[in-house]
Amino acid sequence: MTTTTPPAGSVVLTAGQAPEAAEQQRRRRPARRRSTPLTIAMLAVLAYFLLPLLWLLIASTKSTHDLINSFGLWFSDAPQLLTNIRLTFTQDDGVFLHWLLNTLLYAGVSSVGAAILAAAAGYGFAKFRFRGNGAAFNLVLGAVMVPATALAIPTYLLFAKVGLVNTPWAIILPSLVSPFGLYLMRVYAQDAVPDSILEAARMDGAGEFRIFSQIVLRLLAPGLVTVLLFTLVATWNNYFLPLIMLNDPDLYPITVGLSSWAAQAQNGGAGASSDMLALVVTGSVISVIPLVVAFLMLQRYWQSGLATGGVKQ
């Protein structure tokens, strides 16, 4: 006895099912709609984001002479990617690697610390009732609208008073405060942490710190990773705050370090070489790789964190 499988997309009629019912079932299925203007718009947005990255990848294979005299979106006759990478890591006694490690330190500590602080504050706003809860949260919402550059000078004056200027703490401490991360974690914790679990843990004698560290953090993991990624990218790409806070080149992150190389290439300062502009481009490509790796590794947690709460049970 053989059985046949109906083709994909067909409707199988069960016993007693009328053709009219099958037609209604077919109509209830969502139809795939194609919009030519929307497709063109999406392709334009895709080109807007990918063309600069494509140019950067191609430019990293060129010398400074080829960068100026060849077509930007195509390779030169003599690609030298490996040579550029070697020169980037050996220029100025290997200071680029030092800048890279500084950036990893600043972004890593800041992102982990900001995610944990945002989770704790968001959980507190979502699950505890205290006087001034609404007013304090509205103040956080107002802080989201304040640009970080507007706070850079007051932060510098404050840190200068306590002697933290030109130290790693001048970059890490301001990055630990994330109003948007707090708002995101408060909204996420509202539905992701059931009150019944908290009540059961308290009845079993668990303290608030133990509840937060062993139960709440696990439930908030997708949102935690989302805040971590946002803070990681913001701190990694931060330029203005390190520029005004740091004077020692050994403390520079990649953004300020590459900017100093670009200034040397333009002005022909001390330590500048003929391929300095090519080294700036190659260093920019290398600085993007850790962010791409972080997104690829944490993408599934990030997507699940954004989707949670979108559908009511």
Side-chain angles (χ1 to χ4, degrees), residues 95-96 98-104 106-107 171 235-243 246 248-260:
V95 70
F96 178 80
H98 198 72
W99 293 339
L100 183 62
L101 294 177
N102 289 341
T103 309
L104 287 173
Y106 301 153
I171 309 301
T235 309
W236 191 280
N237 294 327
N238 198 352
Y239 171 74
F240 188 60
L241 182 64
L243 180 66
L246 303 177
D248 187 359
D250 290 335
L251 296 176
Y252 283 172
I254 285 182
T255 51
V256 181
L258 291 179
S259 176
S260 66

Side-chain angles (χ1 to χ4, degrees), residues 5-307:
T5 302
S10 61
V11 178
V12 179
L13 294 177
T14 60
Q17 185 179 18
E20 292 79 4
E23 183 65 24
Q24 293 178 0
Q25 182 180 352
R26 184 182 295 108
R27 291 178 179 178
R28 283 197 298 267
R29 292 183 175 180
R32 295 182 179 178
R33 299 181 179 180
R34 296 181 178 179
S35 173
T36 301
L38 182 60
T39 302
I40 296 175
M42 292 302 297
L43 290 176
V45 172
L46 185 66
Y48 175 79
F49 285 106
L50 291 184
L51 280 179
L53 182 59
L54 178 62
W55 179 90
L56 190 64
L57 292 174
I58 295 175
S60 64
T61 66
K62 300 179 180 181
S63 64
T64 299
H65 178 270
D66 291 334
L67 277 174
I68 299 174
N69 297 296
S70 63
F71 179 61
L73 293 178
W74 194 245
F75 299 93
S76 63
D77 296 333
Q80 56 173 40
L81 176 61
L82 297 180
T83 301
N84 287 342
I85 293 176
R86 179 180 57 81
L87 293 176
T88 300
F89 281 99
T90 57
Q91 179 71 22
D92 294 339
D93 298 327
V95 70
F96 178 80
L97 180 60
H98 198 72
W99 293 339
L100 183 62
L101 294 177
N102 289 341
T103 309
L104 287 173
L105 174 65
Y106 301 153
V109 175
S110 299
S111 59
V112 174
I116 294 177
L117 290 178
Y123 165 69
F125 275 114
K127 296 302 177 179
F128 292 91
R129 295 295 175 262
F130 52 89
R131 182 175 299 179
N133 186 319
F137 187 69
N138 290 333
L139 184 63
V140 172
L141 292 180
V144 174
M145 307 302 295
V146 179
T149 53
L151 301 176
I153 301 300
T155 303
Y156 173 80
L157 296 176
L158 179 63
F159 277 51
K161 289 289 185 180
V162 296
L164 291 180
V165 173
N166 203 34
T167 65
W169 294 110
I171 309 301
I172 295 175
L173 290 180
S175 303
L176 294 177
V177 181
S178 176
F180 176 75
L182 192 156
Y183 166 74
L184 186 65
M185 293 305 298
R186 191 262 185 187
V187 174
Y188 185 80
Q190 192 71 42
D191 296 326
V193 182
D195 294 333
S196 58
I197 294 181
L198 301 179
E199 294 173 1
R202 292 181 182 124
M203 291 180 63
D204 289 339
E208 294 299 333
F209 179 77
R210 183 179 179 184
I211 293 174
F212 174 74
S213 60
Q214 297 185 7
I215 298 176
V216 175
L217 281 181
R218 296 186 180 185
L219 296 174
L220 296 180
L224 199 70
V225 172
T226 303
V227 177
L228 187 146
L229 278 175
F230 285 156
T231 309
L232 178 69
V233 174
T235 309
W236 191 280
N237 294 327
N238 198 352
Y239 171 74
F240 188 60
L241 182 64
L243 180 66
I244 65 173
M245 288 290 187
L246 303 177
N247 298 321
D248 187 359
D250 290 335
L251 296 176
Y252 283 172
I254 285 182
T255 51
V256 181
L258 291 179
S259 176
S260 66
W261 274 6
Q264 292 181 19
Q266 292 178 357
N267 302 325
S273 64
S274 59
D275 280 336
M276 184 66 76
L277 185 58
L279 302 187
V280 173
V281 175
T282 306
S284 301
V285 173
I286 297 173
S287 68
V288 172
I289 295 176
L291 292 181
V292 174
V293 172
F295 265 92
L296 293 178
M297 292 177 60
L298 302 175
Q299 183 181 17
R300 57 194 181 104
Y301 299 103
W302 181 49
Q303 290 177 345
S304 62
L306 293 180

